[in-house]
């Protein structure tokens, strides 16, 4: 069950959590949250892009990793998108998944400080969503172009934040973090294709763009958790248990590095 209430008195968290994009590979982030919980590691601030905005919103709302995993296991691609892929679907279908867990919660009322990153198609610039309905924020941040229609909001046409800032470490620092732990769900992104098929070319194009939109964020992260997810698809749920296990184990491997950041925080 989601938890809401007043945030802790510490209004400027120093160690922030960043969750990048990666589609269905976001299951590794759920595994990472499970490891954080077992290690007693708790972040006061979380910023996410695309699937990272979804996982991050639930984390910020106080939904447990076990509850997130249970909900994710029930989700099928058909719940998020119609079967006609050549027709862009309503991005609010993504938000409904979050709504089913936390209702019409507003970002301002979440247990932890949170922001989602989207892209405004009109200006080509990133948009930081740190106010308003959580369901709208994750819908906008995850609205992959062509697959989903833009989400119209405040005169903007918002789509996937991965186009401009796939690893939003700079946004996390802007919101108060001085140290960053990033969980990158797709560290092997950026591969091209030798196919002349339209969908293969589109997939390669967005993969290359996503890689370029990740470079600065990775450089600005103090600890990066990036298990190899190249064997898994962005739109396929198959292998989700393995992905969660990958995220869990990769986080445990970085335990000392992460704990050191918190030790420095209180030194």
């Amino acid at each position: 069950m989601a938890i809401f209430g007043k945030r802790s008195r510490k209004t400027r968290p120093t160690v922030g959590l960043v969750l990048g994009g990666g589609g269905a590979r976001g299951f590794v982030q759920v595994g990472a949250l499970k490891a954080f919980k077992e290690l007693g590691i708790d972040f006061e601030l979380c910023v996410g892009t695309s699937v990272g905005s979804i996982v991050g919103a639930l984390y910020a709302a106080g939904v447990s990793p076990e509850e997130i995993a249970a909900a994710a296991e029930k989700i099928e691609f058909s719940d998020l998108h119609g079967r006609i892929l050549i027709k862009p679907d309503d991005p609010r279908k993504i938000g409904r998944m979050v709504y089913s867990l936390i209702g019409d919660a507003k970002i301002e009322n979440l247990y932890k400080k949170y922001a989602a990153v989207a892209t405004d198609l009109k200006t080509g610039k990133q948009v930081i969503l740190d106010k308003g309905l959580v369901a709208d924020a994750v819908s906008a941040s995850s609205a992959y172009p062509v697959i989903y229609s833009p989400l119209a909001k405040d005169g903007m046409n918002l789509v996937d934040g991965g186009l401009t800032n796939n690893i939003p470490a700079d946004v996390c620092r802007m919101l108060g973090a001085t140290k960053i732990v990033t969980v990158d769900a797709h560290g092997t992104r950026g591969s091209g294709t030798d196919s002349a098929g339209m969908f293969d070319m589109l997939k390669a194009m967005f993969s290359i763009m996503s890689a370029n939109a990740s470079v600065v964020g990775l450089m600005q992260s103090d600890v990066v958790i990036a298990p190899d997810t190249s064997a898994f698809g962005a739109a396929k749920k198959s292998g989700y248990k393995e992905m969660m296990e990958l995220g869990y184990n990769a986080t445990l491997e970085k335990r000392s590095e992460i704990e050191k950041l918190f030790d420095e925080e209180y030194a």
Side-chain angles (χ1 to χ4, degrees), residues 33-265:
L33 293 185
K34 181 181 177 181
F36 291 142
K37 181 181 177 181
E38 290 186 7
L39 295 173
I41 295 171
D42 191 32
F43 300 91
E44 292 288 334
L45 165 62
C46 180
V47 178
T49 292
S50 200
V51 68
S53 75
I54 299 172
V55 178
L58 297 175
Y59 174 69
V63 182
S64 72
E66 294 77 16
E67 289 175 300
I68 298 175
E73 288 174 9
K74 298 176 183 177
I75 292 293
E76 298 296 339
F77 184 70
S78 57
D79 297 324
L80 304 176
H81 194 285
R83 296 187 180 277
I84 305 176
L85 294 180
I86 59 174
K87 180 181 179 181
D89 210 336
D90 182 0
R92 286 186 172 83
K93 286 186 176 180
I94 302 170
R96 289 172 196 157
M97 173 178 60
V98 173
Y99 179 88
S100 68
L101 291 172
I102 63 175
D104 58 355
K106 290 188 175 181
I107 295 174
E108 303 94 307
N109 298 329
L110 296 181
Y111 185 67
K112 300 175 184 296
K113 195 171 183 179
Y114 165 81
V117 174
T119 301
D120 180 11
L121 273 184
K122 290 185 178 181
T123 63
K125 296 180 179 179
Q126 80 167 6
V127 176
I128 301 171
L129 302 170
D130 59 355
K131 294 181 178 62
L133 292 174
V134 176
D136 281 352
V138 301
S139 295
S141 182
S142 306
Y144 199 75
V146 181
I147 303 300
Y148 290 101
S149 301
L151 188 145
K153 180 179 175 63
D154 300 330
M156 300 178 288
N157 287 335
L158 301 178
V159 295
D160 200 302
L163 296 181
T164 50
N165 198 349
N166 199 54
I167 305 291
D170 58 336
V171 175
C172 197
R173 291 186 184 277
M174 186 189 310
L175 296 179
T178 56
K179 301 290 183 180
I180 302 290
V181 175
T182 288
V183 183
D184 186 358
H186 188 26
T188 55
R189 66 176 64 82
S191 58
T193 181
D194 58 2
S195 171
M198 181 181 70
F199 286 109
D200 287 334
M201 289 191 292
L202 281 173
K203 180 181 176 181
M205 179 182 71
F206 284 120
S207 178
I208 294 168
M209 291 171 61
S210 176
N212 291 332
S214 302
V215 173
V216 174
L218 292 172
M219 291 176 62
Q220 291 192 7
S221 301
D222 296 281
V223 176
V224 176
I225 300 166
D228 186 352
T229 56
S230 58
F232 306 98
K236 296 180 180 179
K237 183 181 172 182
S238 57
Y240 70 90
K241 290 183 179 179
E242 290 86 347
M243 285 188 276
M244 285 192 282
E245 190 70 15
L246 279 174
Y248 176 82
N249 290 330
T251 301
L252 293 182
E253 290 174 3
K254 295 293 183 81
R255 174 178 181 173
S256 60
E257 295 179 47
I258 299 170
E259 290 179 338
K260 184 179 179 181
L261 297 182
F262 284 90
D263 291 340
E264 292 173 354
E265 176 185 8

